[in-house]
Amino acid sequence: MRLEPLDLGQTLGCGQTFRWRSLPDGSWQGPLGNQLVCLTRVGPKLQIKAQPDDPHVRQNVFEHLRAADDVRSIQRELAKRDPVIATGMKELEGLRIVKMDEWECLISFTLATYANIPRISKMIESLARNFGRRITDDVFSFPTLDDLKRASLSDLSRCGLGYRAKYIRSMCKELSEDRITELKRLRYEELRAELKELPGVGDKVADCVALFGFGNLEAFPIDVWIERALSRLYGQKGSYRRLAGFAHEKFGEYAGYAQEYLYYNERAHAPNGTCLFSEQ
DNA sequence: GCCCAGGAGTGTG
DNA sequence: CACACTCATGGG
């Protein structure tokens, strides 16, 4: 278990997860479960603080940052498979795939359809403020399934969800904690198929949830940015199924990491591509 | 005002 | 299978 390599900005600010914020001193702060966690780089070490303080924080942070992954080994494997990715990962050596809570991830990426990252953050913060539990004066936990079951359609609409409100509403009605527990046992392909049965979950959202929520590193979510990257760098175009097949063949069991390198680079490449960290 | 956004659902050819 | 259209709205 080690958190090396780790770059907090590359990991927490790259659009995998939407609630972490960078502070002026370079620390990153965000709600994890029912605590507000603050991470700070101190030389080679990672300082972890939380309020309310809880002895489990360290374990939760290690799980969130997937400390059990041997990221260098994953990078070597990907570089061996493809020179393009080897180049693309060069300045992203501290990027780690995170492990979000499954439920939070499902809701977050269902909201992430056809919206930009600043807006996705706002929708999530609004849900937390209205249906989560207060942690500090202005930080709220992500609402649990039971918390959100209490929200009516108009409640959800008032959080600025737009047409996504009805997806979230039906999702709350359909799901149970037991169902989510069942989903954790499934392998990638089955999980993906089951997730797609949920209202508002298509190919891309299912892959995001499989990757960032359920920890399936082979998942390769394809959004507009990845489409551009696959076209620009590999000359690959076509349907989701076709592109996913290409990615699976090319990148194998760690395709999720390859996807993050491509995503980050493609956004940095765009004409106005510096907007990843621009919120607040 | 304009364009676009980490898409999905539905209908049609 | 592919494409076209709609969805509801805010950020740049």
Side-chain angles (χ1 to χ4, degrees):
Chain A
M1 295 262 290
R2 44 194 281 115
L3 281 175
E4 280 297 330
L6 170 64
D7 182 294
L8 292 174
Q10 291 173 359
T11 300
L12 301 174
C14 71
Q16 306 181 63
T17 178
F18 303 101
R19 301 199 68 195
W20 289 92
R21 304 285 179 266
S22 64
L23 301 179
D25 69 353
S27 302
W28 283 77
Q29 190 180 65
L32 211 53
N34 292 312
Q35 303 168 79
L36 179 59
V37 176
C38 186
L39 304 178
T40 312
R41 266 279 173 202
V42 183
K45 304 202 72 173
L46 180 68
Q47 180 189 81
I48 303 172
K49 291 183 178 172
Q51 46 180 309
D53 201 6
D54 174 329
H56 291 100
V57 187
R58 182 182 154 84
Q59 186 184 329
N60 294 340
V61 169
F62 271 54
E63 187 183 346
H64 187 60
L65 297 177
R66 300 191 56 134
D69 289 353
D70 184 346
V71 175
R72 293 194 201 285
S73 157
I74 291 172
Q75 290 169 347
R76 278 196 300 273
E77 170 67 20
L78 286 173
K80 195 171 69 184
R81 281 175 164 268
D82 176 37
V84 177
I85 280 295
T87 306
M89 72 172 67
K90 260 190 176 150
E91 314 225 329
L92 297 174
E93 285 173 4
L95 190 159
R96 305 180 70 93
I97 299 283
V98 301
K99 165 69 177 71
M100 295 172 70
D101 172 75
E102 293 82 358
W103 162 252
E104 176 172 349
C105 187
L106 174 62
I107 297 301
S108 298
F109 280 95
T110 301
L111 295 178
T113 64
Y114 210 45
N116 55 33
I117 289 180
R119 183 171 177 203
I120 298 164
S121 293
K122 282 201 169 179
M123 290 189 276
I124 292 172
E125 292 311 318
S126 183
L127 280 185
R129 185 168 298 277
N130 285 286
F131 302 103
R133 315 295 173 91
R134 186 183 289 276
I135 301 176
T136 67
D137 284 348
D138 57 347
V139 179
F140 294 75
S141 68
F142 191 88
T144 65
L145 173 54
D146 278 339
D147 289 339
L148 219 50
K149 273 178 184 289
R150 299 195 192 94
S152 70
L153 185 58
S154 59
D155 287 338
L156 295 170
S157 296
R158 273 193 291 277
C159 291
L161 309 193
Y163 65 86
R164 305 161 193 84
K166 59 180 182 297
Y167 294 149
I168 303 302
R169 182 72 188 124
S170 337
M171 209 173 268
C172 288
K173 285 183 177 171
E174 273 187 40
L175 278 176
S176 65
E177 294 293 350
D178 287 345
R179 178 58 176 152
I180 295 174
T181 303
E182 282 177 20
L183 292 175
K184 292 183 191 175
R185 298 199 200 98
L186 301 179
R187 302 165 57 87
Y188 169 60
E189 291 292 348
E190 303 166 289
L191 170 65
R192 191 174 186 290
E194 292 300 320
L195 288 172
K196 281 181 65 175
E197 294 297 311
L198 294 167
V201 180
D203 287 319
K204 187 267 178 181
V205 173
D207 275 327
C208 284
V209 177
L211 177 58
F212 305 125
F214 288 83
N216 295 97
L217 293 184
E218 66 193 285
F220 187 89
I222 301 168
D223 65 355
V224 291
W225 299 95
I226 296 297
E227 259 182 46
R228 288 169 199 162
L230 291 178
S231 170
R232 186 171 66 84
L233 300 170
Y234 300 92
Q236 295 293 320
K237 300 174 192 194
S239 66
Y240 196 100
R241 175 194 278 274
R242 201 183 104 72
L243 294 177
F246 170 80
H248 181 72
E249 181 112 342
K250 192 84 174 169
F251 306 120
E253 60 179 320
Y254 303 123
Y257 266 91
Q259 190 268 3
E260 277 306 295
Y261 299 139
L262 292 173
Y263 178 77
Y264 203 111
N265 279 315
E266 194 62 23
R267 296 207 61 150
H269 237 263
N272 50 357
T274 52
C275 53
L276 262 175
F277 307 97
S278 70
E279 27 193 93
Q280 298 295 98

